[in-house]
Amino acid sequence: MKRLSTPIRDLVLLEPRVFEDERGFFFESYNKKVLADLGIREEFVQDNHSRSRRGVLRGLHYQIRQAQGKLVRVVAGEIFDVAVDLRRSSSTFLQWYGVKLSAENKLQLYIPVGFAHGFLTLSDWAEVLYKTTDFYAPRHERCIRWDDPKLRIRWPLEEGMQLTVSPKDAAGVPVEQADLFA
């Protein structure tokens, strides 16, 4: 596995080593030792799997307590995955990074504690798997508006795409009103 740089400290894009031939492909999607060698030493305690149709936008989610680091990958389809730095002490505070993750490119994004996370489904359907470093705690979950003008996230909304946002996500707060990390 190869560690690729991103413009935000601690946010890591991972490219697995894929072995492909006429039968198909094989790659290691998780190896605790390899990730530790690449600087990701967190212990993952929960796996989540979501399926979303084209135009579904999820996020921007985070937990203010029992904060979760996430290792995100796509096993079917394609998404535009976004992480927003909510760490006040960070030199990249309130900056965002977005990347296309797909079953085809097999890239993974490691999002450490202190970030909000969301994604937009670009393909007809996408299945997203992600590991978390802490358990889901609904009472600590927070949501920032996906379209907050202060963040200026450039979502790749394609012509004719019907955007679908859950009522919970539509009720997300502006980043200026959000609980943030130290």
Side-chain angles (χ1 to χ4, degrees), residues 127-166:
E127 292 195 34
V128 178
L129 298 180
Y130 60 99
K131 296 180 167 308
T132 64
T133 59
D134 209 335
F135 300 102
Y136 177 61
R139 71 181 181 276
H140 300 306
E141 184 177 31
R142 301 292 187 271
C143 182
I144 293 173
R145 285 194 58 87
W146 65 273
D147 60 351
D148 187 314
K150 183 165 184 151
L151 298 176
R152 296 188 314 251
I153 297 171
R154 293 185 306 278
W155 297 97
L157 299 170
E158 299 167 358
E159 190 171 329
M161 179 183 281
Q162 182 176 339
L163 191 62
T164 304
V165 179
S166 74

Side-chain angles (χ1 to χ4, degrees), residues 30-38 40-44:
Y30 176 78
N31 181 311
K32 185 175 181 174
K33 183 182 177 323
V34 170
L35 288 179
D37 291 345
L38 295 174
I40 301 170
R41 294 178 178 82
E42 283 70 24
E43 180 179 344
F44 295 97

Side-chain angles (χ1 to χ4, degrees), residues 9 15 44 55 74 80 96 107-108 136 138 141 153 168:
R9 182 177 52 88
E15 181 179 40
F44 295 97
V74 173
F80 182 70
W96 64 274
L107 295 174
Q108 297 182 63
Y136 177 61
E141 184 177 31
I153 297 171
K168 179 178 87 171

Side-chain angles (χ1 to χ4, degrees), residues 62-81:
Y62 64 104
Q63 290 182 182
I64 197 66
R65 290 195 181 87
Q66 286 181 247
Q68 296 175 311
K70 296 176 180 178
L71 182 60
V72 183
R73 71 187 184 106
V74 173
V75 295
E78 180 179 47
I79 66 171
F80 182 70
D81 204 43

